[in-house]
Amino acid sequence: MTEAVFQAPKRRARVYESFEAPLPVLLSSQDEDRIIYRAELISHQVLVTDPAHTLTLYARGYFGKGVFSRARPEHVISQQWKYIGDRSVAVISSSEYQKRLSWARAALRMQGLEDESVNHALQILTKPVEFDIEEEESRGRVESQAGSVDASCEADLHLGPTETAGSQRQGNPVHDPLAEDYPEEPERLDRLAEPSVKCRRHDDWLAHCGCRAPDSQRRSPEPVQPDACEYVLVEEEGDSTEDNVSMDPLGRCVCRINPFPMMEYLQLSYEEAFFLVYALGCLSIYYSGEALSVAQVWTMFRSLQPNFSSSYAAYHYFRSKGWVPKSGIKYGTDLMLYRKGPPFYHASYSVVVERADVSFRSCSWRTLAALSRTTGNVSKELMLCYVITPSDLTEDMLSSPECVKRFTVQEVLLSRWVSSKERTEQEDV
C-alpha cells in the first residue's frame, strides 16, 4: 500500500456539453440569489420532481441521476417530433400508444374504479385533438420575437449560444490545473442532433458513439416544448381519418392526449441529498408534505442506511477536495471519483469506504485482490478511504450531523504487484 498521489485523469474523447460552475457555498442566509431547491422523500428515495430544479442540480455539480436515464435526466417519449403550428409534439407508433393506454387502464383500476368508469375515462382520453394551427403560429411569432430580444442581450455579454461563464474557465491555466497538460479541450458535439441515425462504422446510434453523420443526413434537432408531453401524434395503420380530423399537415398521424405521461425525475443518493442540505444549504427535503430539518434528515438517513455517517463523511471529504463522487456499485466499490464530472473525464479512482474504530475490520485479501483486478481492468486506481472516529465518540454524538467535524479521513492507494513487470524494470536499470 502507498499513500494516495494525484494522477492526471483521462479525458473523454468527445464532450457533449459545456461545463457550468458548481453550486456555490452560501456564506450567509441573507444572500440575495439564494435558491432553495425542493426534493421529496418517497418510498425511501430522494426525488427532485421540478424540471427546472432537476436540470440545475445535475448541471451544476452532477448531483443524482435520471430515473429513466443512465445519468443525465434527458429521457424523452420519442426521438421523432413534428410541428402542429409552432407546437412540437412527439410522434409514437400505434403499438406504443396502445401500451400506454393499457398502463392507464391498469392505473385506473388500481384506484378501485369500476370497469364502466374506466372505459368512460379512456374513451375521453382517446378522442383525437384538434389545434388551431393559425393560432399556434401567431403565438409562435410572439415567442420568437421575445427570444430574439434575449439573444441580443446574450450577445451584449459576449457569450456564444452554447458558451457559459463556467465553460470559459476550462482550459484557462488560472482556473484549470491541467491546462498545461491538455491545452485544448475536446470538440463539443450535440448529442441530440442525430438521435435516430445509425453509424455504419460502429453499428450504433450516432448519439451513443459520437461520430458525425454525412452532410446529406444531418438535420437540426426539434425543440421540445414544456407541454409537449401532454399530447402525442399517433402513427395510425390505416389511411382513414376520424371525426373529420384533417390529416394533411400531419401525414398519417392523429393527435391525441398522452394517456400515461411519464415524467423524468432526478434521484439523489442519501449522501448527495444531505450534502445539498447540510453543506450547501440549497435543498429542502419534504416528507408527507412537511419540510424536514437538518437534524431530522440526518436521523432519517441514518435509520435507512446504517453506515451513513461514515459514507457521508467520505463523500463530504472528496466533494470539498473538488472531486465529483458518484456511486461505484458497478465496480463493486462505494464511490467513483471524477474530475469536473462524468461527461468530461473518466473516473480516476474507485473508492472503498471503511470506518476505522475499535470494531474495525478491513477487507479480506481475497476481496482486495478482486477489487484491484477489477479496477485495473478499467484503467482506474483502487483507493481505500478510512473514516477514523475518535474513541470518545458516543452514540448521542452520532445522532447529530455535527459529529462529522470530529471524523478524520485517511486515503490509501492499493496497487497490484506484478512480478514480471518488476523484474523487467530491474533489468532495464
Side-chain angles (χ1 to χ4, degrees), residues 159-213:
L159 296 179
T162 59
E163 187 178 18
T164 62
S167 64
Q168 291 179 337
R169 296 172 176 265
Q170 191 172 1
N172 187 341
V174 179
H175 305 284
D176 191 346
L178 298 182
E180 296 180 359
D181 297 333
Y182 303 97
E184 296 182 0
E185 288 296 324
E187 181 183 5
R188 181 182 182 274
L189 305 179
D190 191 351
R191 185 191 299 273
L192 299 179
E194 312 295 342
S196 58
V197 178
K198 276 281 190 176
C199 176
R200 297 180 180 178
R201 179 181 179 184
H202 299 98
D203 191 24
D204 198 359
W205 301 110
L206 290 179
H208 297 164
C209 68
C211 297
R212 289 187 178 275

Side-chain angles (χ1 to χ4, degrees), residues 7-13 178 182 344-348 378-379:
Q7 301 291 340
K10 182 180 179 182
R11 286 186 185 271
R12 292 193 181 275
L178 298 182
Y182 303 97
F344 307 101
Y345 294 90
H346 294 278
S348 299
V378 292
S379 302

Side-chain angles (χ1 to χ4, degrees), residues 225-345:
Q225 301 290 343
D227 56 350
C229 295
E230 295 181 6
Y231 305 98
V232 291
L233 290 174
V234 184
E235 294 178 333
E236 298 293 335
E237 297 179 356
D239 295 331
S240 60
T241 60
E242 300 182 27
D243 298 340
N244 297 326
V245 179
S246 176
M247 300 293 289
D248 293 336
L250 304 179
R252 296 174 54 218
C253 298
V254 176
C255 185
R256 301 181 187 273
I257 298 175
N258 187 0
F260 198 86
M262 294 188 298
M263 301 299 295
E264 176 78 292
Y265 296 150
L266 185 71
Q267 182 179 4
L268 300 173
S269 68
Y270 293 154
E271 292 80 9
E272 291 171 327
F274 194 75
F275 183 82
L276 293 170
V277 171
Y278 176 69
L280 298 185
C282 63
L283 181 70
S284 182
I285 299 179
Y286 286 75
Y287 180 68
S288 298
E290 296 184 1
L292 300 177
S293 64
V294 177
Q296 289 175 326
V297 174
W298 174 266
T299 303
M300 185 167 292
F301 286 175
R302 285 192 67 216
S303 64
L304 297 175
Q305 184 174 313
N307 65 334
F308 176 72
S309 57
S310 57
S311 64
Y312 175 73
Y315 182 91
H316 189 115
Y317 173 81
F318 289 117
R319 270 286 180 182
S320 65
K321 294 293 185 180
W323 293 97
V324 178
K326 304 297 291 185
S327 174
I329 190 172
K330 182 168 63 174
Y331 301 104
T333 58
D334 297 304
L335 296 173
M336 305 295 292
L337 299 185
Y338 295 86
R339 180 180 183 264
K340 294 177 68 173
F344 307 101
Y345 294 90

Side-chain angles (χ1 to χ4, degrees), residues 112-123:
L113 298 179
E114 298 180 354
D115 290 343
E116 183 178 354
S117 300
V118 172
N119 294 334
H120 179 69
L122 294 180
Q123 186 178 6

